[in-house]
Amino acid sequence: MRDIVNKIFSRFKWIRSLRTRLFVIIFLVGFIPGVIMRSAIVSSYEDRGIDVRRFEVQNQLNIIADHLIKYNYLLDNSSEIVNAELNQISNLYDGRILVINGALQVVKDTYYLIEGKTVISPQVIRGLKGISFSTYDRNNQYIEIVTPIIETIGTLNATDEMPEGTEIYHGVILTSVSSDSIITTREILSRKSAIVEMILFFLLLAIALILSNLLVIPFDRVTKAISQVREGLDDEPINVTDYTETEHILDAFNELLRRMKVLDDSRNEFVSNVSHELKTPITSMKVLADSLLAQSDVPEDLYREFLVDIAAEIDREDTIINDLLSLVKMDKSAAVLNIGNVDINVLTEIILKRLRPIARKNDVELVLESKREVTAYVDEVKISLILTNLIENAIKYNKKNGLVTVTVNADHQVFIVEVIDTGSGIPEEFIDHVFERFYRVDKSHSREINGTGLGLAITKSAVLLHMGTIGVVSNEGEGTTFTVRIPLNYIK
Ligand code: ADP
Protein backbone atom coordinates (compact mmCIF):
# COMPACT_ATOMS: atom_id res chain seq x y z
CA MET A 1 0.00 0.00 0.00
CA ARG A 2 2.77 2.35 1.05
CA ASP A 3 4.70 1.46 -2.12
CA ILE A 4 1.70 2.32 -4.27
CA VAL A 5 1.28 5.67 -2.51
CA ASN A 6 5.01 6.39 -2.89
CA LYS A 7 4.84 5.44 -6.58
CA ILE A 8 1.91 7.77 -7.15
CA PHE A 9 3.69 10.54 -5.26
CA SER A 10 6.89 10.13 -7.25
CA ARG A 11 5.07 9.98 -10.58
CA PHE A 12 2.87 13.00 -9.93
CA LYS A 13 5.31 15.38 -8.35
CA TRP A 14 2.77 18.16 -8.19
CA ILE A 15 0.81 16.20 -5.55
CA ARG A 16 3.80 16.65 -3.26
CA SER A 17 3.86 20.37 -3.79
CA LEU A 18 2.90 22.48 -0.77
CA ARG A 19 1.11 24.85 -3.16
CA THR A 20 -1.17 22.05 -4.46
CA ARG A 21 -1.90 20.83 -0.95
CA LEU A 22 -2.72 24.30 0.32
CA PHE A 23 -4.97 24.83 -2.70
CA VAL A 24 -6.86 21.58 -2.07
CA ILE A 25 -7.15 22.21 1.69
CA ILE A 26 -8.40 25.81 1.35
CA PHE A 27 -10.86 24.78 -1.34
CA LEU A 28 -12.22 21.76 0.55
CA VAL A 29 -12.39 23.57 3.91
CA GLY A 30 -14.50 26.24 2.26
CA PHE A 31 -16.60 24.06 -0.01
CA ILE A 32 -17.46 20.93 2.02
CA PRO A 33 -19.15 22.78 4.92
CA GLY A 34 -21.10 24.79 2.33
CA VAL A 35 -22.43 21.65 0.62
CA ILE A 36 -23.26 19.95 3.92
CA MET A 37 -25.04 23.06 5.18
CA ARG A 38 -27.06 23.41 1.98
CA SER A 39 -28.32 19.82 2.01
CA ALA A 40 -29.00 19.98 5.77
CA ILE A 41 -31.02 23.19 5.43
CA VAL A 42 -32.99 21.94 2.43
CA SER A 43 -33.87 18.56 3.95
CA SER A 44 -34.68 19.98 7.37
CA TYR A 45 -36.90 22.56 5.68
CA GLU A 46 -39.14 19.76 4.35
CA ASP A 47 -39.37 17.98 7.73
CA ARG A 48 -40.11 21.19 9.56
CA GLY A 49 -42.73 22.24 6.97
CA ILE A 50 -44.53 18.90 7.29
CA ASP A 51 -44.50 19.12 11.12
CA VAL A 52 -45.90 22.65 11.08
CA ARG A 53 -48.63 21.66 8.62
CA ARG A 54 -49.60 18.58 10.66
CA PHE A 55 -49.84 20.68 13.78
CA GLU A 56 -51.95 23.40 12.10
CA VAL A 57 -54.37 20.97 10.47
CA GLN A 58 -54.65 18.80 13.58
CA ASN A 59 -55.54 21.84 15.71
CA GLN A 60 -58.26 22.91 13.32
CA LEU A 61 -59.59 19.35 13.05
CA ASN A 62 -59.82 19.13 16.85
CA ILE A 63 -62.00 22.24 16.82
CA ILE A 64 -64.14 20.78 14.02
CA ALA A 65 -64.45 17.47 15.91
CA ASP A 66 -66.00 19.43 18.81
CA HIS A 67 -68.35 21.16 16.37
CA LEU A 68 -69.38 17.79 14.92
CA ILE A 69 -70.55 16.70 18.40
CA LYS A 70 -72.08 20.07 19.12
CA TYR A 71 -74.13 20.14 15.90
CA ASN A 72 -74.87 16.40 16.03
CA TYR A 73 -73.33 16.19 12.57
CA LEU A 74 -72.88 12.42 12.59
CA LEU A 75 -76.68 11.97 12.58
CA ASP A 76 -77.47 14.95 10.39
CA ASN A 77 -74.76 16.29 8.05
CA SER A 78 -76.68 19.34 6.96
CA SER A 79 -75.05 21.80 9.40
CA GLU A 80 -73.89 24.64 7.18
CA ILE A 81 -71.39 25.91 9.69
CA VAL A 82 -69.64 22.54 9.92
CA ASN A 83 -69.78 21.96 6.16
CA ALA A 84 -68.31 25.40 5.54
CA GLU A 85 -65.52 24.67 8.01
CA LEU A 86 -64.80 21.29 6.41
CA ASN A 87 -64.74 22.77 2.90
CA GLN A 88 -62.59 25.66 4.02
CA ILE A 89 -59.91 23.37 5.42
CA SER A 90 -59.95 21.01 2.46
CA ASN A 91 -59.61 23.98 0.09
CA LEU A 92 -56.98 25.70 2.17
CA TYR A 93 -54.70 22.69 2.40
CA ASP A 94 -55.63 21.18 -0.94
CA GLY A 95 -56.94 18.05 0.76
CA ARG A 96 -59.86 15.71 1.29
CA ILE A 97 -61.79 15.18 4.50
CA LEU A 98 -63.91 12.14 5.34
CA VAL A 99 -66.14 12.20 8.40
CA ILE A 100 -66.88 8.61 9.45
CA ASN A 101 -69.32 7.59 12.15
CA GLY A 102 -69.04 4.79 14.69
CA ALA A 103 -70.71 2.37 12.22
CA LEU A 104 -67.80 2.98 9.79
CA GLN A 105 -70.10 4.84 7.44
CA VAL A 106 -68.90 7.93 5.58
CA VAL A 107 -71.10 10.81 6.76
CA LYS A 108 -69.22 13.48 4.80
CA ASP A 109 -66.72 13.37 1.93
CA THR A 110 -65.50 16.77 0.78
CA TYR A 111 -65.00 15.18 -2.68
CA TYR A 112 -68.61 13.81 -2.53
CA LEU A 113 -67.41 10.43 -3.85
CA ILE A 114 -68.08 7.88 -1.15
CA GLU A 115 -70.69 9.48 1.10
CA GLY A 116 -72.93 6.82 2.66
CA LYS A 117 -70.38 4.08 1.95
CA THR A 118 -68.63 1.96 4.57
CA VAL A 119 -64.91 2.35 5.12
CA ILE A 120 -62.89 -0.28 6.89
CA SER A 121 -59.23 0.54 7.28
CA PRO A 122 -56.74 0.14 10.11
CA GLN A 123 -56.50 3.93 10.48
CA VAL A 124 -60.26 4.28 10.99
CA ILE A 125 -60.33 1.40 13.48
CA ARG A 126 -57.47 3.00 15.50
CA GLY A 127 -59.23 6.39 15.32
CA LEU A 128 -62.41 4.85 16.69
CA LYS A 129 -60.39 3.73 19.71
CA GLY A 130 -59.70 7.38 20.45
CA ILE A 131 -56.12 7.42 19.04
CA SER A 132 -55.13 10.58 17.23
CA PHE A 133 -52.19 10.21 14.80
CA SER A 134 -50.78 11.22 11.45
CA THR A 135 -48.52 9.71 8.76
CA TYR A 136 -46.57 11.26 5.94
CA ASP A 137 -46.33 9.56 2.56
CA ARG A 138 -43.18 11.10 1.09
CA ASN A 139 -43.54 9.41 -2.31
CA ASN A 140 -47.11 10.52 -2.95
CA GLN A 141 -46.58 13.77 -1.08
CA TYR A 142 -49.52 13.81 1.28
CA ILE A 143 -50.11 13.84 5.02
CA GLU A 144 -52.82 11.61 6.44
CA ILE A 145 -54.30 12.74 9.75
CA VAL A 146 -56.67 10.66 11.89
CA THR A 147 -58.69 12.70 14.40
CA PRO A 148 -61.10 10.81 16.68
CA ILE A 149 -64.49 12.48 17.32
CA ILE A 150 -64.75 12.32 21.11
CA GLU A 151 -67.57 13.43 23.36
CA THR A 152 -66.60 14.06 26.97
CA ILE A 153 -69.50 13.75 29.44
CA GLY A 154 -70.04 17.03 31.29
CA THR A 155 -71.63 17.67 34.72
CA LEU A 156 -75.13 18.09 33.30
CA ASN A 157 -75.21 14.85 31.31
CA ALA A 158 -73.46 12.70 33.88
CA THR A 159 -75.30 9.54 34.97
CA ASP A 160 -74.33 6.64 37.16
CA GLU A 161 -73.26 4.54 34.14
CA MET A 162 -71.47 7.47 32.59
CA PRO A 163 -69.89 9.71 35.20
CA GLU A 164 -68.48 13.11 34.41
CA GLY A 165 -65.37 13.00 32.22
CA THR A 166 -66.22 9.74 30.45
CA GLU A 167 -65.15 9.80 26.78
CA ILE A 168 -67.39 8.41 24.06
CA TYR A 169 -65.84 7.77 20.63
CA HIS A 170 -68.44 8.70 18.04
CA GLY A 171 -66.41 8.53 14.91
CA VAL A 172 -63.28 9.62 13.05
CA ILE A 173 -62.20 12.48 10.82
CA LEU A 174 -59.86 11.05 8.18
CA THR A 175 -57.96 13.85 6.45
CA SER A 176 -55.38 13.82 3.70
CA VAL A 177 -53.62 17.10 2.93
CA SER A 178 -51.17 17.64 0.14
CA SER A 179 -47.58 18.63 0.89
CA ASP A 180 -47.11 19.95 -2.65
CA SER A 181 -46.62 23.56 -1.60
CA ILE A 182 -43.94 22.55 0.92
CA ILE A 183 -42.15 20.44 -1.70
CA THR A 184 -42.35 23.26 -4.25
CA THR A 185 -40.86 25.75 -1.79
CA ARG A 186 -38.17 23.22 -0.94
CA GLU A 187 -37.32 22.83 -4.61
CA ILE A 188 -37.08 26.58 -5.10
CA LEU A 189 -34.84 26.77 -2.03
CA SER A 190 -32.73 23.91 -3.34
CA ARG A 191 -32.36 25.51 -6.77
CA LYS A 192 -31.40 28.86 -5.30
CA SER A 193 -28.87 27.32 -2.94
CA ALA A 194 -27.41 25.31 -5.84
CA ILE A 195 -26.77 28.60 -7.64
CA VAL A 196 -25.17 30.04 -4.50
CA GLU A 197 -23.12 26.86 -4.24
CA MET A 198 -21.95 27.23 -7.82
CA ILE A 199 -20.87 30.83 -7.18
CA LEU A 200 -19.17 29.67 -3.96
CA PHE A 201 -17.39 26.94 -5.96
CA PHE A 202 -15.79 29.39 -8.39
CA LEU A 203 -15.14 31.97 -5.69
CA LEU A 204 -13.37 29.37 -3.53
CA LEU A 205 -11.43 28.15 -6.55
CA ALA A 206 -10.13 31.68 -7.07
CA ILE A 207 -9.47 32.28 -3.35
CA ALA A 208 -7.67 28.93 -2.99
CA LEU A 209 -5.56 29.67 -6.07
CA ILE A 210 -4.57 33.14 -4.87
CA LEU A 211 -3.99 32.13 -1.23
CA SER A 212 -2.01 28.98 -2.04
CA ASN A 213 0.26 31.02 -4.30
CA LEU A 214 0.65 33.81 -1.75
CA LEU A 215 1.36 31.44 1.14
CA VAL A 216 4.26 29.70 -0.59
CA ILE A 217 5.97 32.90 -1.70
CA PRO A 218 8.27 32.98 1.39
CA PHE A 219 9.42 29.43 0.55
CA ASP A 220 10.17 30.52 -3.02
CA ARG A 221 12.16 33.36 -1.53
CA VAL A 222 14.10 30.90 0.65
CA THR A 223 14.91 28.77 -2.43
CA LYS A 224 16.00 31.85 -4.37
CA ALA A 225 18.20 33.12 -1.54
CA ILE A 226 19.81 29.68 -1.14
CA SER A 227 20.41 29.38 -4.91
CA GLN A 228 22.09 32.78 -4.91
CA VAL A 229 24.43 31.59 -2.17
CA ARG A 230 25.04 28.38 -4.14
CA GLU A 231 25.84 30.29 -7.29
CA GLY A 232 28.27 32.38 -5.28
CA LEU A 233 26.38 35.66 -5.86
CA ASP A 234 25.92 36.16 -2.18
CA ASP A 235 27.67 34.80 0.87
CA GLU A 236 26.06 36.99 3.51
CA PRO A 237 23.70 35.32 6.02
CA ILE A 238 20.22 35.23 4.50
CA ASN A 239 16.93 35.90 6.21
CA VAL A 240 13.27 35.38 5.29
CA THR A 241 11.27 36.29 8.37
CA ASP A 242 7.71 35.84 6.98
CA TYR A 243 7.21 32.55 8.87
CA THR A 244 8.85 31.12 11.96
CA GLU A 245 9.41 28.00 9.84
CA THR A 246 11.35 29.85 7.12
CA GLU A 247 13.32 31.61 9.84
CA HIS A 248 14.24 28.23 11.39
CA ILE A 249 15.24 26.75 8.03
CA LEU A 250 17.44 29.74 7.27
CA ASP A 251 18.93 29.83 10.77
CA ALA A 252 20.03 26.22 10.23
CA PHE A 253 21.26 27.10 6.71
CA ASN A 254 23.20 30.15 7.94
CA GLU A 255 24.84 28.06 10.64
CA LEU A 256 25.83 25.51 7.98
CA LEU A 257 27.11 28.34 5.78
CA ARG A 258 29.13 29.77 8.67
CA ARG A 259 30.68 26.39 9.41
CA MET A 260 31.46 25.82 5.75
CA LYS A 261 33.16 29.21 5.60
CA VAL A 262 35.26 28.39 8.68
CA LEU A 263 36.17 25.05 7.11
CA ASP A 264 36.94 26.69 3.79
CA ASP A 265 39.10 29.35 5.43
CA SER A 266 40.98 26.81 7.50
CA ARG A 267 41.45 24.59 4.44
CA ASN A 268 42.82 27.51 2.43
CA GLU A 269 45.12 28.50 5.26
CA PHE A 270 46.28 24.91 5.65
CA VAL A 271 46.98 24.51 1.93
CA SER A 272 48.93 27.75 1.80
CA ASN A 273 50.89 26.81 4.94
CA VAL A 274 51.67 23.35 3.55
CA SER A 275 52.81 24.82 0.23
CA HIS A 276 54.97 27.34 2.01
CA GLU A 277 56.54 24.79 4.36
CA LEU A 278 57.17 22.32 1.55
CA LYS A 279 58.62 25.02 -0.68
CA THR A 280 61.19 26.27 1.83
CA PRO A 281 63.48 23.16 1.74
CA ILE A 282 63.09 22.95 -2.06
CA THR A 283 64.11 26.60 -2.47
CA SER A 284 67.17 26.00 -0.25
CA MET A 285 68.10 22.91 -2.31
CA LYS A 286 67.67 24.87 -5.55
CA VAL A 287 69.91 27.70 -4.26
CA LEU A 288 72.56 25.21 -3.15
CA ALA A 289 72.48 23.30 -6.44
CA ASP A 290 72.46 26.49 -8.55
CA SER A 291 75.44 27.95 -6.72
CA LEU A 292 77.37 24.70 -7.35
CA LEU A 293 76.40 24.72 -11.03
CA ALA A 294 77.37 28.38 -11.41
CA GLN A 295 81.00 27.63 -10.51
CA SER A 296 83.43 25.62 -12.54
CA ASP A 297 86.13 23.47 -10.98
CA VAL A 298 84.40 23.28 -7.63
CA PRO A 299 86.58 21.59 -5.02
CA GLU A 300 85.33 18.23 -3.80
CA ASP A 301 85.07 19.47 -0.21
CA LEU A 302 82.62 22.18 -1.25
CA TYR A 303 80.57 19.63 -3.18
CA ARG A 304 80.45 17.46 -0.07
CA GLU A 305 79.54 20.40 2.16
CA PHE A 306 76.72 21.49 -0.16
CA LEU A 307 75.48 17.92 -0.54
CA VAL A 308 75.33 17.56 3.25
CA ASP A 309 73.17 20.69 3.34
CA ILE A 310 70.97 19.37 0.52
CA ALA A 311 70.58 16.04 2.38
CA ALA A 312 69.56 17.98 5.53
CA GLU A 313 66.90 19.85 3.54
CA ILE A 314 65.66 16.53 2.10
CA ASP A 315 65.40 15.18 5.67
CA ARG A 316 63.43 18.26 6.68
CA GLU A 317 61.09 17.82 3.70
CA ASP A 318 60.69 14.17 4.68
CA THR A 319 59.84 15.10 8.28
CA ILE A 320 57.23 17.62 7.14
CA ILE A 321 55.63 15.09 4.79
CA ASN A 322 55.57 12.41 7.50
CA ASP A 323 54.04 14.84 10.00
CA LEU A 324 51.43 15.85 7.44
CA LEU A 325 50.56 12.22 6.81
CA SER A 326 50.19 11.61 10.57
CA LEU A 327 47.92 14.63 10.80
CA VAL A 328 45.75 13.47 7.89
CA LYS A 329 45.49 9.99 9.42
CA MET A 330 44.54 11.53 12.73
CA ASP A 331 41.82 13.64 11.09
CA LYS A 332 40.07 10.52 9.86
CA SER A 333 37.43 8.82 11.97
CA ALA A 334 38.00 7.03 15.25
CA ALA A 335 37.88 3.75 13.34
CA VAL A 336 41.64 4.08 12.89
CA LEU A 337 42.11 3.54 16.62
CA ASN A 338 43.62 0.23 17.63
CA ILE A 339 42.36 -0.10 21.19
CA GLY A 340 43.97 -2.38 23.76
CA ASN A 341 45.06 -2.59 27.40
CA VAL A 342 48.12 -0.41 27.97
CA ASP A 343 50.22 0.04 31.10
CA ILE A 344 50.79 3.80 30.99
CA ASN A 345 53.71 3.74 33.46
CA VAL A 346 55.57 1.11 31.45
CA LEU A 347 54.85 2.94 28.19
CA THR A 348 56.15 6.24 29.63
CA GLU A 349 59.23 4.50 30.94
CA ILE A 350 59.99 3.06 27.47
CA ILE A 351 59.55 6.46 25.81
CA LEU A 352 61.77 8.19 28.34
CA LYS A 353 64.42 5.53 27.78
CA ARG A 354 64.24 6.12 24.04
CA LEU A 355 64.52 9.90 24.43
CA ARG A 356 67.27 9.89 27.07
CA PRO A 357 70.15 10.04 24.50
CA ILE A 358 68.65 13.19 22.94
CA ALA A 359 68.06 14.67 26.41
CA ARG A 360 71.63 13.94 27.34
CA LYS A 361 72.82 15.69 24.15
CA ASN A 362 70.83 18.76 25.26
CA ASP A 363 72.03 18.45 28.87
CA VAL A 364 68.52 17.86 30.09
CA GLU A 365 67.54 15.41 32.80
CA LEU A 366 64.42 13.24 32.45
CA VAL A 367 62.48 12.15 35.54
CA LEU A 368 59.39 9.96 35.85
CA GLU A 369 57.13 10.45 38.85
CA SER A 370 54.59 7.66 38.91
CA LYS A 371 51.84 8.39 41.42
CA ARG A 372 50.04 5.08 40.93
CA GLU A 373 49.68 2.07 38.67
CA VAL A 374 47.66 2.98 35.60
CA THR A 375 46.31 0.64 32.95
CA ALA A 376 44.07 2.15 30.32
CA TYR A 377 42.08 0.86 27.39
CA VAL A 378 43.64 3.00 24.61
CA ASP A 379 45.55 2.98 21.30
CA GLU A 380 49.16 2.37 22.37
CA VAL A 381 50.77 3.84 19.22
CA LYS A 382 48.82 7.07 19.47
CA ILE A 383 49.39 7.47 23.20
CA SER A 384 53.11 6.98 22.68
CA LEU A 385 52.97 9.59 19.87
CA ILE A 386 51.35 12.05 22.30
CA LEU A 387 53.92 11.43 25.02
CA THR A 388 56.89 11.45 22.62
CA ASN A 389 55.84 14.78 21.08
CA LEU A 390 55.34 16.45 24.46
CA ILE A 391 58.56 15.12 26.01
CA GLU A 392 60.56 15.90 22.82
CA ASN A 393 59.29 19.49 22.96
CA ALA A 394 60.08 19.70 26.67
CA ILE A 395 63.66 18.67 25.83
CA LYS A 396 63.94 20.84 22.69
CA TYR A 397 62.69 24.03 24.30
CA ASN A 398 64.55 23.53 27.58
CA LYS A 399 67.57 25.32 29.00
CA LYS A 400 71.04 23.91 29.52
CA ASN A 401 71.02 21.61 32.58
CA GLY A 402 67.26 21.73 32.49
CA LEU A 403 64.82 19.20 33.90
CA VAL A 404 61.82 17.43 32.43
CA THR A 405 59.47 15.79 34.90
CA VAL A 406 56.78 13.43 33.66
CA THR A 407 54.08 12.56 36.20
CA VAL A 408 51.56 9.75 35.73
CA ASN A 409 48.41 9.75 37.81
CA ALA A 410 44.76 8.65 37.55
CA ASP A 411 41.36 9.00 39.16
CA HIS A 412 38.51 6.55 38.65
CA GLN A 413 37.67 7.96 35.21
CA VAL A 414 40.78 9.36 33.53
CA PHE A 415 44.52 9.03 33.63
CA ILE A 416 46.56 12.21 33.76
CA VAL A 417 50.03 12.72 32.34
CA GLU A 418 51.88 15.98 33.05
CA VAL A 419 55.03 16.95 31.18
CA ILE A 420 56.76 19.70 33.17
CA ASP A 421 59.87 21.41 31.89
CA THR A 422 62.16 24.15 33.14
CA GLY A 423 62.54 25.74 29.72
CA SER A 424 62.02 29.19 28.27
CA GLY A 425 58.25 29.00 28.51
CA ILE A 426 55.68 30.27 26.04
CA PRO A 427 54.69 33.97 26.11
CA GLU A 428 51.05 34.40 27.14
CA GLU A 429 49.97 36.00 23.86
CA PHE A 430 51.07 32.92 21.87
CA ILE A 431 49.87 30.20 24.19
CA ASP A 432 46.43 29.91 22.55
CA HIS A 433 48.00 29.24 19.15
CA VAL A 434 50.51 26.48 19.94
CA PHE A 435 48.08 23.72 18.91
CA GLU A 436 47.51 25.27 15.46
CA ARG A 437 49.06 23.61 12.46
CA PHE A 438 52.49 25.01 11.45
CA TYR A 439 52.47 27.41 14.39
CA ARG A 440 55.89 28.10 15.90
CA VAL A 441 56.28 30.65 18.67
CA ASP A 442 59.61 32.24 17.93
CA LYS A 443 60.22 31.72 14.23
CA SER A 444 63.76 33.15 14.18
CA HIS A 445 64.85 31.21 17.25
CA SER A 446 62.93 28.12 16.13
CA ARG A 447 65.05 27.85 13.01
CA GLU A 448 67.88 26.60 15.18
CA ILE A 449 65.59 24.02 16.76
CA ASN A 450 64.28 21.37 14.40
CA GLY A 451 60.53 21.33 14.05
CA THR A 452 57.64 21.69 11.68
CA GLY A 453 55.01 23.33 13.89
CA LEU A 454 52.81 20.25 13.40
CA GLY A 455 53.79 18.26 16.52
CA LEU A 456 51.24 19.76 18.93
CA ALA A 457 48.48 19.74 16.27
CA ILE A 458 49.08 15.99 15.83
CA THR A 459 49.19 15.52 19.62
CA LYS A 460 45.88 17.34 20.10
CA SER A 461 44.18 15.31 17.35
CA ALA A 462 45.36 12.06 18.97
CA VAL A 463 44.06 13.23 22.37
CA LEU A 464 40.70 14.21 20.88
CA LEU A 465 40.41 10.82 19.15
CA HIS A 466 40.48 9.33 22.66
CA MET A 467 37.83 11.83 23.85
CA GLY A 468 40.49 13.38 26.08
CA THR A 469 41.64 16.93 26.79
CA ILE A 470 45.00 18.68 26.61
CA GLY A 471 45.95 21.90 28.35
CA VAL A 472 49.03 24.02 28.76
CA VAL A 473 50.23 26.38 31.47
CA SER A 474 53.44 28.34 31.04
CA ASN A 475 55.49 30.97 32.87
CA GLU A 476 57.92 32.79 30.67
CA GLY A 477 61.48 32.03 31.69
CA GLU A 478 60.37 29.40 34.24
CA GLY A 479 58.94 26.58 32.23
CA THR A 480 55.89 24.95 30.73
CA THR A 481 53.47 22.23 31.85
CA PHE A 482 51.38 20.25 29.37
CA THR A 483 48.57 18.22 31.00
CA VAL A 484 46.82 15.40 29.16
CA ARG A 485 43.67 13.74 30.50
CA ILE A 486 42.38 10.63 28.75
CA PRO A 487 39.49 8.37 29.78
CA LEU A 488 40.67 5.04 31.18
CA ASN A 489 38.14 3.24 29.03
CA TYR A 490 37.73 4.35 25.45
CA ILE A 491 34.06 5.11 24.70
CA LYS A 492 33.15 5.70 21.08
P1 ADP B 1 57.52 22.21 16.56
O1 ADP B 1 57.70 21.24 15.49
O2 ADP B 1 57.90 23.59 16.23
O3 ADP B 1 58.03 21.76 17.90
P2 ADP B 1 54.96 21.94 17.86
O4 ADP B 1 53.62 21.95 17.29
O5 ADP B 1 55.41 20.73 18.60
O6 ADP B 1 55.94 22.31 16.69
O7 ADP B 1 55.05 23.20 18.80
C1 ADP B 1 54.60 24.43 18.38
C2 ADP B 1 55.35 25.55 19.03
O8 ADP B 1 55.02 25.62 20.41
C3 ADP B 1 56.82 25.33 19.03
O9 ADP B 1 57.40 25.85 17.87
C4 ADP B 1 57.30 26.09 20.26
O10 ADP B 1 57.52 27.43 19.94
C5 ADP B 1 56.14 26.00 21.20
N1 ADP B 1 56.36 24.95 22.24
C6 ADP B 1 55.92 23.69 22.20
N2 ADP B 1 56.28 23.02 23.32
C7 ADP B 1 56.99 23.91 24.07
C8 ADP B 1 57.62 23.83 25.37
N3 ADP B 1 57.64 22.71 26.08
N4 ADP B 1 58.25 24.95 25.81
C9 ADP B 1 58.24 26.08 25.10
N5 ADP B 1 57.65 26.22 23.89
C10 ADP B 1 57.03 25.14 23.38
Side-chain angles (χ1 to χ4, degrees), residues 393 396-397 421 426 434 439-441 451-453 455-456 480 482:
N393 276 353
K396 270 197 302 187
Y397 301 105
D421 67 53
I426 306 166
V434 289
Y439 192 83
R440 308 200 72 197
V441 172
T452 58
L456 285 180
T480 309
F482 279 90

Side-chain angles (χ1 to χ4, degrees), residues 1-11 15-16:
M1 183 65 192
R2 202 164 220 207
D3 281 355
I4 297 171
V5 172
N6 284 345
K7 234 181 222 168
I8 294 173
F9 269 63
S10 61
R11 178 168 288 187
I15 300 181
R16 277 165 34 207

Side-chain angles (χ1 to χ4, degrees), residues 128-147:
L128 280 175
K129 287 178 184 160
I131 301 165
S132 165
F133 64 96
S134 64
T135 51
Y136 175 48
D137 185 337
R138 200 175 284 272
N139 294 334
N140 298 315
Q141 297 174 4
Y142 71 87
I143 310 163
E144 194 170 65
I145 302 164
V146 176
T147 317

Side-chain angles (χ1 to χ4, degrees), residues 13-24:
K13 275 202 170 137
W14 54 268
I15 300 181
R16 277 165 34 207
S17 140
L18 179 64
R19 187 179 276 120
T20 315
R21 291 181 187 192
L22 281 174
F23 174 82
V24 173

Side-chain angles (χ1 to χ4, degrees), residues 19-20 22-31 197-213:
R19 187 179 276 120
T20 315
L22 281 174
F23 174 82
V24 173
I25 290 169
I26 295 168
F27 178 75
L28 291 183
V29 164
F31 194 63
E197 208 171 275
M198 203 68 140
I199 296 169
L200 187 75
F201 176 87
F202 287 111
L203 204 69
L204 275 171
L205 222 58
I207 291 173
L209 201 69
I210 295 167
L211 269 185
S212 59
N213 274 303

Side-chain angles (χ1 to χ4, degrees), residues 19 47 113 172 192 327 337 341 372 381 399 446 448:
R19 187 179 276 120
D47 294 343
L113 295 175
V172 168
K192 280 195 176 157
L327 200 62
L337 284 184
N341 251 340
R372 69 182 68 205
V381 176
K399 286 191 230 145
S446 297
E448 300 150 24

Side-chain angles (χ1 to χ4, degrees), residues 19 21 148 165 188 415 488:
R19 187 179 276 120
R21 291 181 187 192
I188 293 169
F415 71 87
L488 290 170

